[in-house]
Amino acid sequence: MKKTAYYFLLFGIITCSTTIAQDSTASKVDEIKGEVEGIKESYLETKSTVDALKKIKISGYIQTQFQSAESDGAASFSGGNFSTGMHNRFMVRRGRIKFTYDNSISNLVLQLDATEKGLGLKDAYVYFTEPWLQTFKLKAGVFDRPFGFEISYSSSNRESPERSRLFQTLFPGERDLGASFEITPQDGLLSFINFKGGMFAGNGVNPEVDNQKDFIGRLGFQFPFYDENFAIDGGISTFFGKVKRAAGKNIYLVNSSIFPHTISTDNSADRNYLGLDLQVYYSIPVLGGFTLRSEYISGKQVGSSSSSSTSPTGLFTGDLYQRNFMGYYFMYVQNLGEFNQLVLKYDQYDPNTDVEGDQIGWNTDAKLGTGDVKYSTFGIGLVHYWNDNIKFLFYYDSVTNETSKYLAGFTEDIKDNVFTMRIQYKF
Amino acid sequence: MKKIIAVVILLIATLGFYLQSNVITVKGSDTLVILAQRWAEKYMQSHAGITIQVTGGGSGVGIAALINGTTDIANSSRPMKPSEREKLKQRYNSLGVEVKVAKDGLSVYLNEKNSLKELSLEQIKDIYTGKIKNWKEVGGKDSKVIVYGRENSSGTYVFFKDNVLFGADFLASMQSLPGTAAVVNAVIKDENAIGFGGAAYAKGIKYVAVKKDNKSKAYEPTEENIKNNNYPISRFLYLYLRNRPTGELKNYIDWILSKEGQELVSKVGYFPVR
């Protein structure tokens, strides 16, 4: 009897212990499940925060260079004129930082340029893509003018240190204030063409000073032949603009060497360009890919007596000179293996196609001067990509100017060739 | 002065061009990584002096490495995007070279205990976009659907998004896993799970037969169905190169497309292109 009672007691203890153990395991599992759910919730919360932060993108690059010119104080389009008495210099050519808020169909971009010369605005625009076809886009603010190829080709990717003299003269700073419309079909036959065009203040990144608006636009095409590793891209661009005449000042139509030139009585002078651009890409077996790029622009340009550039920070206060101009460039970039590129470039800019040589300056009353001198530049360079971030550039610009025995300082070729050594870090 | 500088620049360029290596680096698609490793092992056995280094990471990672010059070959389970071609064009003046090396049926995995046998593309889309949340909505048992997928650097992720979701976003609660093998393991452990990935990894779990639409017949991702395009989610697997291959790189690509290389494709579980 005692024995039976003992077994009952033992059985009871074991059963209770098992039940308690099972209860304990079940409660542990519930606890872990709860913790996992908590972690999952926390993960989803973190993910939504990370997804939001991923929309903010920061990129940039710094270009530091050493340059040597042929003569002290050389005037140059390779990063600006050398100071009086100097023929070599270190400089931070570009120090860009770009902030993008990328919300898929709408973007905000702000880009600044910080160098030893100070801080400047490069880009500040909003970019909106309609969500249905994702073909039509609207852009407004300060951004690259939609003209030709070289303007929109980033300075961090460009294989020559600077844009051609042609573009630096016609489009100083590359940017303008305005709004543009873009059509970039995503599918079908039309996906090979694109259009960008809009209205701009015509005053670069400076505040607008008049009611005149410029139309700038480009109709482009892209034909890739993937099987042949060959591509041909190009476009036709136009610029229709006006530059306002100041009260009491003249507009000279400088189309001959005889003075007085025809004087226009209009309130503004014409600034009209027509441009053609073409880029060819092909991969040569063994050697690597190459590109041949070319652009041609001609039209009417407005400037002062000494300069062909239109880059006022305010209204033009002097007489306006309207010239017929022409310019072009050819650029050949050959990849040599994975890390090197050989660069050859030739550009020419003739600010006044109606006069040449000794006609410039022969009659002081004709007011034909430095703003009418034609330049051509031959450049040769080597780009070496150290890694994804760093690249080195060695480049020599040989500049030849038109000469006139009547124009002081231009009776012979000016010693203004420039050698550039540059290091770029991009992230 | 001009001549000296020109000569120095040409000399440096020429020297840089001739410094080449006998190491071939391969990076990219996790779907392709096992096949790429088998190719590399087999090729190195018969080609002493050639080293082939293979790593995964996803198609996007491989293509990014191709663009920044840190790999010779990018493995990809999706075609290169126009924006990626554009980056290659900018940096190398080349559109890149595409080599189709295998065909794959992108499989939808279910746990073996799941009674469902077929799903339409629309139903799969609705599951992966969160519109369908319970298996009973597609004829299964009354249980919550647990959705597994890949990370967005994966070519499989992009292909699935483009060809099954037709561009729609994956549901936010999808558990993104690093590699198709991880998706398979997750589905094996969870009877309410669904996942997707290459056929080569789908061992120990069940494929669902897929219907193009509700009126179509459902097909499993078998060799025959994939080869004759009956299975609606089939795709090519690619190698991408910066330029036309030369030297050892060309020999290696030619070997991959040879009978010997394509035999390995079948052994790993994909379908040869030649």
Side-chain angles (χ1 to χ4, degrees):
Chain A
M1 182 66 186
K2 268 186 183 176
K3 218 173 187 178
T4 310
Y6 172 76
Y7 284 131
F8 267 114
L9 187 63
L10 193 64
F11 177 75
I13 291 168
I14 291 168
T15 311
C16 279
S17 311
T18 312
T19 311
I20 289 165
Q22 278 174 350
D23 285 352
S24 164
T25 308
S27 104
K28 196 80 186 163
V29 167
D30 285 346
E31 196 181 309
I32 291 168
K33 265 188 182 171
E35 281 175 14
V36 169
E37 285 299 318
I39 292 169
K40 200 174 166 186
E41 269 178 37
S42 166
Y43 162 76
L44 289 175
E45 207 172 291
T46 311
K47 190 172 179 289
S48 66
T49 309
V50 171
D51 286 346
L53 286 173
K54 268 168 69 180
K55 292 177 180 176
I56 302 169
K57 293 172 183 166
I58 301 175
S59 59
Y61 60 94
I62 289 179
Q63 295 174 339
T64 303
Q65 63 192 31
F66 174 79
Q67 291 184 298
S68 178
E70 266 190 314
S71 62
D72 285 345
S76 176
F77 275 65
S78 301
N81 296 343
F82 284 74
S83 302
T84 309
M86 278 175 56
H87 67 271
N88 66 51
R89 65 186 175 194
F90 276 106
M91 71 189 298
V92 176
R93 181 64 186 92
R94 295 176 179 89
R96 301 285 171 83
I97 186 145
K98 186 175 182 179
F99 304 92
T100 305
Y101 185 80
D102 185 350
N103 197 16
S104 183
I105 58 162
S106 59
N107 293 285
L108 177 153
V109 176
L110 180 67
Q111 186 177 201
L112 303 171
D113 187 39
T115 68
E116 73 274 22
K117 296 179 197 75
L119 187 67
L121 175 71
K122 297 310 289 185
D123 290 304
Y125 61 86
V126 292
Y127 192 45
F128 173 74
T129 306
E130 49 79 21
W132 305 282
L133 298 171
Q134 300 196 359
T135 294
F136 302 99
K137 294 164 185 172
L138 184 69
K139 205 173 184 181
V142 174
F143 55 93
D144 283 339
R145 296 162 171 117
F147 191 103
F149 175 82
E150 201 171 42
I151 285 183
S152 58
Y153 194 61
S154 166
S155 294
S156 65
N157 294 330
R158 198 181 47 249
E159 300 84 357
S160 60
E162 305 299 334
R163 290 180 177 82
S164 318
R165 179 181 292 256
L166 169 70
F167 278 97
Q168 290 193 55
T169 307
L170 299 179
F171 303 99
E174 299 88 45
R175 277 93 174 159
D176 210 332
L177 174 60
S180 77
F181 182 63
E182 296 181 13
I183 306 172
T184 50
Q186 301 296 303
D187 302 305
L189 273 179
L190 289 177
S191 64
F192 296 110
I193 60 166
N194 56 75
F195 170 78
K196 292 178 182 178
M199 303 304 289
F200 293 84
N203 210 24
V205 297
N206 304 297
E208 188 160 15
V209 290
D210 59 26
N211 289 321
Q212 310 280 5
K213 299 288 177 288
D214 300 337
F215 170 81
I216 309 175
R218 177 179 185 265
L219 181 64
F221 65 85
Q222 285 189 309
F223 292 119
F225 301 91
Y226 294 123
D227 290 344
E228 288 75 26
N229 209 334
F230 171 74
I232 182 163
D233 304 346
I236 179 167
S237 306
T238 56
F239 186 119
F240 292 107
K242 299 272 187 191
V243 177
K244 194 177 178 186
R245 176 172 62 87
K249 297 296 175 183
N250 295 320
I251 299 172
Y252 296 117
L253 307 181
V254 195
N255 52 10
S256 79
S257 57
I258 309 299
F259 194 81
H261 303 293
T262 309
I263 299 174
S264 167
T265 54
D266 294 345
N267 286 328
S268 54
D270 291 336
R271 186 184 175 193
N272 298 337
Y273 315 153
L274 178 67
L276 299 169
D277 65 271
L278 195 70
Q279 303 87 46
V280 175
Y281 303 84
Y282 184 67
S283 180
I284 301 175
V286 183
L287 205 54
F290 79 78
T291 179
L292 179 64
R293 303 178 195 136
S294 183
E295 289 192 64
Y296 172 86
I297 308 174
S298 69
K300 289 181 168 63
Q301 166 72 341
V302 183
S304 62
S305 63
S306 60
S307 170
S308 158
S309 190
T310 307
S311 58
T313 51
L315 275 171
F316 260 107
T317 51
D319 293 329
L320 296 178
Y321 286 67
Q322 184 180 297
R323 302 177 175 93
N324 295 317
F325 76 94
M326 176 280 296
Y328 62 88
Y329 75 83
F330 289 99
M331 186 168 183
Y332 180 81
V333 182
Q334 175 67 60
N335 274 66
L336 302 166
E338 306 298 343
F339 303 108
N340 297 310
Q341 288 177 324
L342 176 69
V343 186
L344 301 170
K345 187 174 185 180
Y346 180 80
D347 74 70
Q348 189 177 96
Y349 176 57
D350 186 354
N352 191 340
T353 53
D354 296 308
V355 296
E356 61 180 350
D358 291 344
Q359 288 178 312
I360 304 169
W362 78 274
N363 179 344
T364 50
D365 285 342
K367 292 191 176 182
L368 293 170
T370 52
D372 300 275
V373 174
K374 178 169 75 179
Y375 286 87
S376 56
T377 307
F378 173 71
I380 179 168
L382 175 75
V383 184
H384 176 74
Y385 293 85
W386 182 263
N387 59 28
D388 196 24
N389 302 112
I390 296 175
K391 77 173 182 181
F392 295 95
L393 172 64
F394 306 91
Y395 199 87
Y396 189 77
D397 262 327
S398 176
V399 186
T400 308
N401 54 274
E402 189 174 24
T403 59
S404 168
K405 61 187 175 190
Y406 301 111
L407 188 63
F410 288 83
T411 53
E412 58 184 20
D413 186 36
I414 302 167
K415 292 189 177 302
D416 54 359
N417 297 345
V418 175
F419 177 62
T420 303
M421 285 192 292
R422 172 184 290 178
I423 181 170
Q424 172 181 293
Y425 191 99
K426 185 180 178 183
F427 70 96
Chain B
M1 178 69 175
K2 288 181 199 173
K3 281 182 184 170
I4 293 170
I5 289 171
V7 168
V8 169
I9 286 174
L10 283 171
L11 201 66
I12 296 170
T14 312
L15 277 175
F17 175 62
Y18 281 105
L19 292 174
Q20 291 194 348
S21 141
N22 59 352
V23 177
I24 297 172
T25 51
V26 184
K27 194 171 195 168
S29 165
D30 288 315
T31 304
L32 260 170
V33 73
I34 289 180
L35 177 57
Q37 281 166 349
R38 298 275 161 83
W39 275 330
E41 286 159 13
K42 187 90 177 169
Y43 190 79
M44 285 191 289
Q45 281 170 11
S46 56
H47 295 77
I50 300 295
T51 305
I52 301 169
Q53 297 167 342
V54 180
T55 49
S59 302
V61 172
I63 291 170
L66 189 77
I67 293 164
N68 67 32
T70 54
T71 191
D72 298 310
I73 299 174
N75 287 338
S76 181
S77 55
R78 60 164 172 84
M80 206 185 241
K81 296 175 193 169
S83 59
E84 292 165 336
R85 297 264 196 186
E86 199 58 35
K87 284 178 185 167
L88 264 186
K89 198 166 94 175
Q90 269 187 7
R91 169 65 182 81
Y92 299 99
N93 299 310
S94 169
L95 302 181
V97 175
E98 177 185 282
V99 186
K100 291 184 177 104
V101 289
K103 207 168 178 192
D104 176 31
L106 203 149
S107 312
V108 176
Y109 316 128
L110 298 180
N111 184 280
E112 275 180 338
K113 289 181 185 165
N114 193 321
S115 59
L116 267 180
K117 287 185 177 158
E118 58 183 53
L119 287 170
S120 69
L121 274 179
E122 194 180 349
Q123 287 172 322
I124 298 170
K125 180 187 173 187
D126 288 346
I127 289 171
Y128 271 91
T129 52
K131 199 171 164 189
I132 291 175
K133 293 183 169 67
N134 194 301
W135 284 115
K136 72 178 178 188
E137 295 175 67
V138 287
K141 63 177 180 175
D142 184 7
S143 303
K144 189 182 168 190
V145 182
I146 308 296
V147 180
Y148 291 96
R150 295 292 315 281
E151 290 170 324
N152 61 9
S153 59
S154 150
T156 306
Y157 170 100
V158 174
F159 184 87
F160 197 84
K161 187 175 179 182
D162 289 346
N163 295 278
V164 180
L165 308 193
F166 299 102
D169 287 331
F170 285 95
L171 77 165
S173 62
M174 180 180 82
Q175 298 185 44
S176 304
L177 299 174
T180 305
V183 174
V184 169
N185 284 335
V187 176
I188 287 169
K189 286 174 189 162
D190 188 341
E191 60 185 271
N192 293 317
I194 184 169
F196 62 84
Y201 288 88
K203 285 173 184 167
I205 50 165
K206 168 179 166 181
Y207 301 125
V208 69
V210 179
K211 292 189 285 188
K212 198 171 183 183
D213 51 52
N214 288 334
K215 291 173 188 168
S216 310
K217 191 182 164 192
Y219 290 95
E220 282 195 15
T222 60
E223 179 171 0
E224 192 189 345
N225 289 337
I226 289 168
K227 274 188 169 174
N228 61 22
N229 293 322
N230 278 333
Y231 184 69
I233 336 175
S234 57
R235 59 178 175 175
F236 282 105
L237 302 175
Y238 307 90
L239 303 189
Y240 282 99
L241 313 162
R242 276 182 288 272
N243 290 296
R244 288 193 181 88
T246 56
E248 279 307 327
L249 196 56
K250 182 177 188 309
N251 294 341
Y252 183 50
I253 302 293
D254 288 345
W255 178 85
I256 285 172
L257 296 173
S258 72
K259 193 181 168 201
E260 200 178 353
Q262 291 292 296
E263 274 173 5
L264 281 178
V265 172
S266 305
K267 280 182 188 167
V268 171
Y270 296 118
F271 310 105
V273 287
R274 292 193 178 184

